[in-house]
Amino acid sequence: MINKAIICDFDGTITETDNIIAIMKRFAPPEWNELKDDVLSQRISVKEGVGSMFKLLPSSLKNEIIEFILTHAKIRSGFEEFVQYTKDNHIPLYIVSGGIDFFVYPLLNGLVDEKQIYCNRADFSQEMIQIEWPYSCDETCKNDCGCCKPSLIKRLTDNEQGKIVIGDSITDLQAAKLADLVIARDLLLEKSKDLQLPHRAFTTFYDVIQVLDSLEEVKA
Ligand code: MG
Ligand code: ZN
């Protein structure tokens, strides 16, 4: 696979755990749990669920939430080396995340250029936090994703490029179906096995580098 592009998830992939869940556990009233269950059982869309969860939080908590995330979120090991690897090998890297700008950007500050990051946005100008969706589904996606990974893959890559999707969860599945290779952990790994998508497993980003290196060797 000579010409390739990488589409990498953020929550639970670059970070070790899900930041939206961490924020809700710490700051939201108990109602958020029901919304989470509704999303997981697909009674409501990710967009509706996440939007409604953040509306449970007053905008005045902004700084406290950012401080909490910066203190508690952990970047998975090898990520910095992985980013360097993509630069050294001229592989386009796109971070495509259902997370929100106010925690995604600070956590990736100094690691990934903002131009490579595609995520949702928070508006703190009203009493409660409002989420904005700059990368909603195109006309071919009916999932009401919020940040639509399939739509972004189609927009960011061309037919010549081998598409490598890195992710951890059910929210990466539609993107994984468009991929030439999925590098997966956790639930996405199970799903990739079930659906027999071409895939490799990873735990750290050192594993990811090894997988990418093995693709280079095939070429040579
Ligand atoms: Mg994830
Ligand atoms: Zn979509």
Side-chain angles (χ1 to χ4, degrees), residues 99-183:
I100 322 294
D101 59 353
F102 72 89
F103 63 79
V104 176
Y105 288 145
L107 285 171
L108 289 178
N109 187 25
L111 291 166
V112 180
D113 197 284
E114 287 196 7
K115 292 196 298 291
Q116 296 167 264
I117 303 173
Y118 298 80
C119 63
N120 302 311
R121 292 184 197 139
D123 168 12
F124 295 95
S125 68
Q126 299 180 49
E127 190 188 348
M128 303 307 234
I129 300 173
Q130 311 292 314
I131 303 300
E132 297 172 346
W133 316 94
Y135 307 108
S136 292
C137 304
D138 67 18
E139 63 289 345
T140 65
C141 182
K142 304 283 175 251
N143 289 320
D144 200 27
C145 301
C147 178
C148 185
K149 298 187 184 199
S151 304
L152 274 167
I153 289 184
K154 287 180 212 153
R155 211 177 100 187
L156 295 170
T157 65
D158 61 47
N159 292 333
E160 310 293 299
Q161 284 173 312
K163 299 169 211 5
I164 299 174
V165 167
I166 308 174
D168 73 303
S169 172
I170 200 80
T171 50
D172 302 302
L173 188 58
Q174 298 310 317
K177 288 178 184 171
L178 299 176
D180 296 288
L181 178 67
V182 187
I183 305 179

Side-chain angles (χ1 to χ4, degrees), residues 59-89:
S59 295
S60 58
L61 286 175
K62 179 182 179 182
N63 291 336
E64 211 179 317
I65 296 174
I66 293 173
E67 202 184 296
F68 168 77
I69 281 294
L70 287 177
T71 327
H72 288 83
K74 285 197 179 61
I75 302 288
R76 192 172 296 278
S77 80
F79 182 70
E80 194 174 348
E81 291 82 353
F82 160 73
V83 174
Q84 191 58 48
Y85 180 96
T86 63
K87 285 182 191 161
D88 294 344
N89 291 279

Side-chain angles (χ1 to χ4, degrees), residues 9-14 18 98 149 167-172 185:
D9 173 50
F10 183 72
D11 280 274
T13 298
I14 296 174
D18 189 288
K149 298 187 184 199
D168 73 303
S169 172
I170 200 80
T171 50
D172 302 302
R185 57 175 295 276

